[in-house]
Amino acid sequence: MKYNLYQYKKEIPEGICLFVGKESNYSKFLNDEKQIKYLNSQFEKEKNIVEINFYDSKFYFVNFKNETISNQNEKIRESGSKMTSVLNSDKIKEINIIDVDKDADLINLFVEGMILVNYSFTRYYKEEEKKKPTLGILNIYSSEFKQENLSELEKITDAVYFARDLANEPFSGLNALQFSEKLKQLAKSSDLNVHVLNKKDIEDNGMGGLLAVNKGSEHPPTFNILEWKPENAVNSKPYILVGKGIVFDSGGYSIKPTKNSMDMMKFDMAGAAAVAGAVKAVSENRLPVHIIALIPATDNAVDAKSYVPGDVIKMHNGLFVEVLNTDAEGRLILADALSYAQKYNPELVLDLATLTGAAAYCIGTQASVIMGTADDTVFDNLKQSGENVYERVVQFPFWDEYKDMLKSKIADIKNIGGSEAGAITAGKFLEYFTDYPWVHIDIAGPAIMSKKSAYRTEGGSAYGVRLLYDFFKNMI
Ligand code: BES
Ligand code: MG
Ligand code: ZN
């Protein structure tokens, strides 16, 4: 997408125009009584988008009605995304967006919805161009919406696209090494530092969880460290993000039991993608917060060399874990990363992971499930950010009684709980590897869209990028 920003006074620009404002003000853009009547009658009929055609141009008018969404900001984003779908089905390439009410926030939200829905993943079509949305140029006419607003929005949505591209890339194009290459490219184009630990380094660090999951793989694991350290950082101890980077999850010997449940498992690195996207957005917008992202990456494959149920492995922090299900692999690689995070003496650690089917069953695609040991204010801030950007979170209990379900008969702990409370026992497992304030964010539901919903396109949603960006922005 290309963006142009123009100072808007009064003259209606040439070309196809989209008027964004409160519907009552629209009549001044039409000089024909009949047209005004038509516009009003259409809006009364609960139409969200009204189109008026002229010989050489076209006007679109929108309103922000949506009975099912109570969040006003989300109504506006959703309206922007609906409008964009209409523009694309009308094969429109360039649109003039007119800020009718001199309302920068309104334009920001509306354009955000437009950009977020205009994403497509087309690299595996022979005739790629034909599969892309036609809309490519947004001309914004406003007196209030400023270049800095546009630039921030552009960088956030770029990071969302980046995270979606990573998530949507199949395992055939994204093994752990290839994932690390993408991070190196990112670091080159941003002001970020990246450091990739190879298999030897991972062995030297005693990351037994990551190594066990990787045993059956054709590809070596990587452990990726991304850092954004601005001179004017407001925090002296770093914030650490940990992302689950399982580039494909077959389940291993405890092979995925449910029909078709393996089909989506290229997305099992959505947490890693979200974390990388968030650091990209924060660094490119130069937010003064010191952030480190830790991303363990591997696939979970079936092979003669694979780890098997009953194996006992020694983790980075020295704990022994009895593996009773090789499909509970995410917690094993995250555990090593969480334990590694201790050396930074972090202010707070947040991990994002497509960790359990249980979380997705509980809450669906509408929210992630969060739990942990951080202060209530951290949880409150996350909930507030979730509402702000509409990547909502729901807090689950984290009582110690759940720990009993992880008792092993031959080792410190086992890697599965029982048949109940699967999202929570996974979190409780991770807690053994933390010694700092921490929030676990299970994104198994909202990270993967089996069909498009508003501006969340099918496939990887990049859930978490906007949530984390807003969370960090509010710290300043
Ligand atoms: N990657 C899966 C969780 C998942 C399921 C993510 C569906 C997205 C959609 C994870 O590795 C897994 O297999 N978890 C198991 C844990 C169980 C064996 C304790 C699960 O949830 O079934
Ligand atoms: Mg699994
Ligand atoms: Zn997994």
Side-chain angles (χ1 to χ4, degrees):
M1 282 263 241
K2 274 198 185 128
Y3 312 93
N4 300 303
L5 185 57
Y6 300 100
Q7 186 66 26
Y8 177 62
K9 302 240 169 55
K10 255 194 178 110
E11 316 78 63
I12 298 173
E14 265 179 47
I16 297 165
C17 292
L18 162 55
F19 295 88
V20 181
K22 303 286 177 288
E23 61 195 85
S24 50
N25 295 345
Y26 288 149
S27 48
K28 66 182 174 204
F29 299 104
L30 297 167
N31 36 31
D32 182 312
E33 269 307 314
K34 267 191 187 161
Q35 289 170 345
I36 296 172
K37 249 193 172 165
Y38 172 73
L39 178 69
N40 292 335
S41 73
Q42 292 297 299
F43 278 151
E44 269 160 32
K45 276 194 216 156
E46 306 289 301
K47 275 250 180 182
N48 288 119
I49 295 164
V50 181
E51 207 178 306
I52 293 183
N53 285 290
F54 303 97
Y55 295 108
D56 56 347
S57 75
K58 201 181 217 181
F59 284 179
Y60 292 97
F61 299 91
V62 291
N63 67 31
F64 310 110
K65 287 207 187 95
N66 183 323
E67 304 308 328
T68 48
I69 302 173
S70 62
N71 180 313
Q72 294 303 312
N73 288 350
E74 185 64 3
K75 280 187 188 177
I76 299 165
R77 287 186 201 100
E78 204 238 27
S79 192
S81 87
K82 261 195 193 156
M83 187 66 239
T84 303
S85 304
V86 170
L87 295 174
N88 279 315
S89 61
D90 289 351
K91 301 268 179 276
I92 285 169
K93 294 181 179 152
E94 178 169 355
I95 187 84
N96 301 322
I97 300 163
I98 293 143
D99 172 13
V100 173
D101 291 345
K102 299 187 177 150
D103 186 340
D105 290 339
L106 184 85
I107 292 298
N108 205 326
L109 293 160
F110 190 85
V111 174
E112 184 179 26
M114 292 187 78
I115 303 172
L116 290 174
V117 79
N118 211 47
Y119 171 85
S120 61
F121 184 72
T122 53
R123 62 178 298 208
Y124 294 113
Y125 289 106
K126 192 173 174 188
E127 296 189 272
E128 192 177 355
E129 279 313 308
K130 284 194 184 158
K131 293 285 181 180
K132 286 188 174 158
T134 55
L135 188 64
I137 304 175
L138 303 186
N139 301 315
I140 302 170
Y141 289 82
S142 173
S143 57
E144 295 304 310
F145 188 73
K146 296 285 181 299
Q147 189 56 48
E148 66 218 51
N149 303 123
L150 179 59
S151 145
E152 183 182 27
L153 181 61
E154 217 181 312
K155 284 164 180 156
I156 296 169
T157 51
D158 264 3
V160 168
Y161 278 32
F162 172 81
R164 285 183 185 171
D165 278 347
L166 276 176
N168 289 333
E169 186 64 42
F171 178 43
S172 54
L174 195 80
N175 59 39
L177 288 175
Q178 289 166 320
F179 179 83
S180 296
E181 281 311 309
K182 301 264 184 199
L183 295 185
K184 285 180 189 164
Q185 283 166 19
L186 167 66
K188 251 189 213 160
S189 58
S190 313
D191 258 346
L192 286 171
N193 276 323
V194 65
H195 182 57
V196 180
L197 305 187
N198 63 22
K199 187 170 181 184
K200 168 88 173 36
D201 304 325
I202 293 167
E203 285 165 351
D204 292 347
N205 272 286
M207 294 180 172
L210 179 55
L211 289 165
V213 176
N214 179 253
K215 269 176 83 180
S217 175
E218 284 278 292
H219 312 279
T222 62
F223 188 90
N224 307 276
I225 305 167
L226 273 175
E227 184 167 22
W228 164 241
K229 192 177 186 185
E231 273 172 15
N232 55 348
V234 294
N235 52 326
S236 53
K237 290 156 68 179
Y239 293 110
I240 296 191
L241 299 175
V242 174
K244 173 176 172 183
I246 293 289
V247 286
F248 181 69
D249 182 11
S250 70
Y253 271 92
S254 314
I255 200 157
K256 293 234 165 257
T258 325
K259 193 167 176 261
N260 297 337
S261 64
M262 210 188 289
D263 300 1
M264 299 288 225
M265 283 304 130
K266 68 170 184 181
F267 293 115
D268 213 16
M269 33 60 69
V275 159
V279 180
K280 174 177 159 76
V282 166
S283 69
E284 290 181 3
N285 280 307
R286 308 198 78 78
L287 294 188
V289 275
H290 179 198
I291 300 181
I292 297 167
L294 304 177
I295 303 176
T298 178
D299 54 299
N300 183 22
V302 192
D303 185 86
K305 297 196 291 331
S306 295
Y307 74 144
V308 298
D311 279 355
V312 175
I313 59 179
K314 187 178 182 187
M315 307 294 285
H316 176 262
N317 72 346
L319 269 187
F320 288 94
V321 173
E322 183 188 12
V323 177
L324 285 175
N325 191 317
T326 61
D327 198 12
E329 85 299 337
R331 64 196 72 184
L332 299 175
I333 70 164
L334 288 173
D336 281 343
L338 289 170
S339 164
Y340 190 85
Q342 293 182 17
K343 74 171 192 179
Y344 295 101
N345 187 26
E347 179 71 38
L348 172 70
V349 177
L350 306 173
D351 79 75
L352 276 81
T354 47
L355 203 61
T356 64
Y361 279 118
C362 282
I363 206 86
T365 58
Q366 293 303 326
S368 66
V369 164
I370 64 172
M371 61 196 87
T373 56
D375 284 350
D376 286 348
T377 50
V378 171
F379 282 91
D380 291 344
N381 291 344
L382 275 170
K383 288 170 196 168
Q384 185 57 55
S385 288
E387 195 57 44
N388 292 346
V389 303
Y390 225 60
E391 291 187 345
R392 293 173 292 179
V393 302
V394 169
Q395 187 174 0
F396 272 24
F398 209 49
W399 300 310
D400 269 338
E401 283 82 348
Y402 290 108
K403 271 189 172 167
D404 294 343
M405 296 163 82
L406 295 168
K407 277 188 184 145
S408 160
K409 291 190 175 136
I410 67 158
D412 292 308
I413 46 172
K414 58 183 166 111
N415 78 330
I416 49 166
S419 54
E420 295 163 348
I424 302 173
T425 51
K428 277 295 176 191
F429 178 91
L430 297 176
E431 189 184 2
Y432 279 97
F433 303 88
T434 65
D435 72 346
Y436 38 67
W438 156 72
V439 182
H440 164 52
I441 308 181
D442 193 331
I443 62 171
I448 308 167
M449 303 301 295
S450 56
K451 62 176 199 300
K452 175 176 177 282
S453 163
Y455 52 79
R456 289 167 192 87
T457 46
E458 192 176 321
S461 66
Y463 174 98
V465 174
R466 291 163 58 245
L467 173 72
L468 293 173
Y469 182 80
D470 192 78
F471 177 76
F472 288 121
K473 193 177 170 186
N474 291 333
M475 300 216 148
I476 300 154

